[in-house]
Amino acid sequence: MMTEANRLPAEEITNTATSVTAVEELLKYRFKNTKLLEEALTHTSCNSSSASNNYQRLAFVGDAALGLAISSYFFSVYPDVDCGKLTDLRAANVSTEKLARVAVRHGLYNYLRRNSPILDEKVKEFVITVQQEAEMEFYGGVMKAPKILADIVESVMGAVYVDCGFDVNAFWLIFRGLLEPIIMLHMLKEQPQPVTMLFGLCKKDGKQVEVEHRKEGDKNIASVYVDGQFIASASSEHKENAKLQVAKAALKELFYDPYDEMDVEFVPSQKKKTNVEFAPFQKIKMDVEFDPTKESEEAKQRLNELCGRKKWSKPSYRIEKEIGPAHNRSFTCSVQVSIGENMFSVMGDEKSRVKDAENSAALAMIQGLQESKVS
């Protein structure tokens, strides 16, 4: 589900000043040199564009700026995480699929000066596809994202980065909000790469997986066979997207739907959300050994145990606030737990590490449950 800012590609906005003003308002940043933003919003299909007067050079530097900013951010947020996981986090947040959805969410394509009806149709088709997605896709959906959408985001990033004097901290403060939701470590764990997960689970069970591809017209069709038995098939214009979709289908057929419990922003929920407004039912029985009078690193583990025993949804955590520079940042996290038809959300205390902030939120949830009445 996307926000009201999403719009299908409109006719080319010939008034460049209007586009510049609109993007400045979106960024909440006033350019010192608006020519940079004009260049970032000019496609190569415009007759007036030249090699040095379109989005490509700025997209190049914007890509580098985002890589540095997001690397620094995760390096600070996760001081105990190894390089491999940091690389996975960076890759997920700078991918073409992720950035293209940022462009769709904020309607950036509408501000691009262009002269390409074919490109317009391709983007229009992708926007419709994204609007129909049930959850945020980390690795790609049914349709491969048009690269131009990610390029627009990167070119605008490049314009901001150059305009603020190549200051990566200033750049991050300006652009961070537009990239939400940032894909965090717990989200990657909850929504692993489908193809990797399929092969891993089958290997664990001693099963042999094969993915066969064939072409029918302009469609690529991928089929999964496990120990020679047909499991599922899927099609897409692009081979890699067909493989992605068939892996999801096979996981659901063989094991479970790995995305059922995914809790991210922009996903519609039918559950009511409340802040420690627990319903007046019978007192809950807390059958975990845990001292709620002192903070403990076991809080998350104990909350997980409690939810598992009560058959409630798995707790999900979210960073609500970040304060301070990258080298001295503090975090406040919240935790959400679904109980029946209600969604309970509790905020923890401000901490210097995300791990500690999540434990603080988990402790607050346990205390709230102990002091409340929940059926």
Side-chain angles (χ1 to χ4, degrees):
M1 178 182 176
M2 310 299 284
T3 67
E4 291 182 359
N6 300 328
R7 284 164 291 180
L8 299 180
E11 293 182 2
E12 181 182 341
I13 299 174
T14 55
N15 189 331
T16 305
T18 300
S19 293
V20 167
T21 300
V23 175
E24 283 185 328
E25 289 177 358
L26 179 64
L27 295 170
K28 296 180 175 57
Y29 174 75
R30 192 67 61 190
F31 276 78
K32 305 177 190 69
N33 180 6
T34 56
K35 294 294 184 183
L36 287 168
L37 188 51
E38 291 178 15
E39 183 178 322
L41 297 174
T42 301
H43 188 252
T44 53
S45 60
C46 287
N47 295 330
S48 59
S49 66
S50 63
S52 60
N53 189 31
N54 61 61
Y55 72 95
Q56 291 179 327
R57 280 173 52 85
L58 287 172
F60 167 79
V61 75
D63 174 60
L66 176 60
L68 177 59
I70 204 77
S71 297
S72 302
Y73 171 72
F74 285 125
F75 184 83
S76 300
V77 169
Y78 297 116
D80 301 322
V81 167
D82 62 44
C83 182
K85 289 187 176 65
L86 291 176
T87 300
D88 291 342
L89 283 165
R90 179 178 62 192
N93 282 280
V94 305
S95 71
T96 296
E97 296 292 339
K98 163 68 173 172
L99 295 183
R101 284 162 175 79
V102 170
V104 171
R105 186 155 56 247
H106 298 292
L108 285 176
Y109 188 76
N110 295 301
Y111 306 120
L112 182 70
R113 292 177 61 239
R114 62 198 186 273
N115 184 21
S116 178
I118 294 176
L119 196 61
D120 288 349
E121 285 302 312
K122 183 70 71 175
V123 171
K124 181 178 180 179
E125 183 183 355
F126 180 72
V127 171
I128 293 172
T129 301
V130 169
Q131 290 173 339
Q132 294 172 346
E133 291 175 349
E135 70 257 325
M136 183 176 67
E137 295 285 357
F138 293 178
Y139 309 103
V142 176
M143 178 182 176
K144 185 176 177 64
K147 188 174 181 295
I148 181 59
L149 291 176
D151 287 344
I152 297 169
V153 176
E154 290 176 342
S155 66
V156 174
M157 284 179 173
V160 170
Y161 184 56
V162 174
D163 196 67
C164 63
F166 302 93
D167 184 333
V168 71
N169 288 324
F171 160 80
W172 183 242
L173 287 174
I174 294 164
F175 237 98
R176 162 70 198 274
L178 266 70
L179 296 174
E180 292 287 356
I182 302 294
I183 300 172
M184 307 302 289
L185 188 59
H186 73 276
M187 296 165 72
L188 281 185
K189 289 178 180 177
E190 291 169 354
Q191 192 178 130
Q193 213 286 342
V195 178
T196 303
M197 187 179 190
L198 175 63
F199 276 82
L201 289 175
C202 286
K203 183 179 179 181
K204 185 178 179 182
D205 286 349
K207 297 180 183 298
Q208 182 69 34
V209 183
E210 292 182 55
V211 181
E212 294 186 358
H213 296 273
R214 72 177 189 275
K215 189 90 169 177
E216 288 188 5
D218 60 349
K219 291 290 184 182
N220 283 278
I221 299 175
S223 301
V224 166
Y225 294 84
V226 175
D227 289 342
Q229 181 181 352
F230 172 79
I231 302 299
S233 65
S235 65
S236 177
E237 183 179 346
H238 295 272
K239 183 177 178 179
E240 58 267 35
N241 286 75
K243 186 176 182 179
L244 189 71
Q245 296 308 311
V246 79
K248 290 181 183 179
L251 282 169
K252 190 172 183 179
E253 183 71 25
L254 292 169
F255 302 100
Y256 62 97
D257 189 343
Y259 307 112
D260 274 349
E261 296 184 0
M262 187 61 193
D263 180 26
V264 292
E265 295 179 19
F266 307 114
V267 177
S269 174
Q270 301 300 318
K271 296 181 178 179
K272 296 177 287 184
K273 185 176 179 181
T274 180
N275 279 318
V276 207
E277 294 290 338
F278 293 94
F281 300 117
Q282 72 179 56
K283 185 80 171 179
I284 185 173
K285 181 182 178 182
M286 300 293 290
D287 50 0
V288 290
E289 295 180 5
F290 185 75
D291 181 3
T293 62
K294 64 179 181 179
E295 192 162 315
S296 168
E297 289 191 358
E298 297 180 346
K300 288 180 65 177
Q301 177 185 342
R302 296 310 183 194
L303 182 57
N304 284 339
E305 291 175 2
L306 174 64
C307 291
R309 292 179 186 180
K310 296 295 180 181
K311 300 190 185 307
W312 296 335
S313 71
K314 183 180 177 181
S316 61
Y317 297 85
R318 181 167 59 217
I319 297 175
E320 300 287 354
K321 295 180 183 177
E322 294 180 44
I323 302 173
H327 67 278
N328 187 28
R329 188 162 292 169
S330 60
F331 307 89
T332 303
C333 289
S334 66
V335 60
Q336 295 78 38
V337 174
S338 295
I339 302 177
E341 293 300 315
N342 295 301
M343 173 76 81
F344 299 107
S345 179
V346 178
M347 192 95 73
D349 295 326
E350 183 180 314
K351 300 293 176 182
S352 59
R353 299 193 308 169
V354 171
K355 179 180 177 182
D356 295 336
E358 289 180 343
N359 271 302
S360 176
L363 179 64
M365 177 64 79
I366 292 175
Q367 290 173 324
L369 291 169
Q370 285 180 324
E371 296 167 0
S372 66
K373 296 178 180 180
V374 181
S375 61

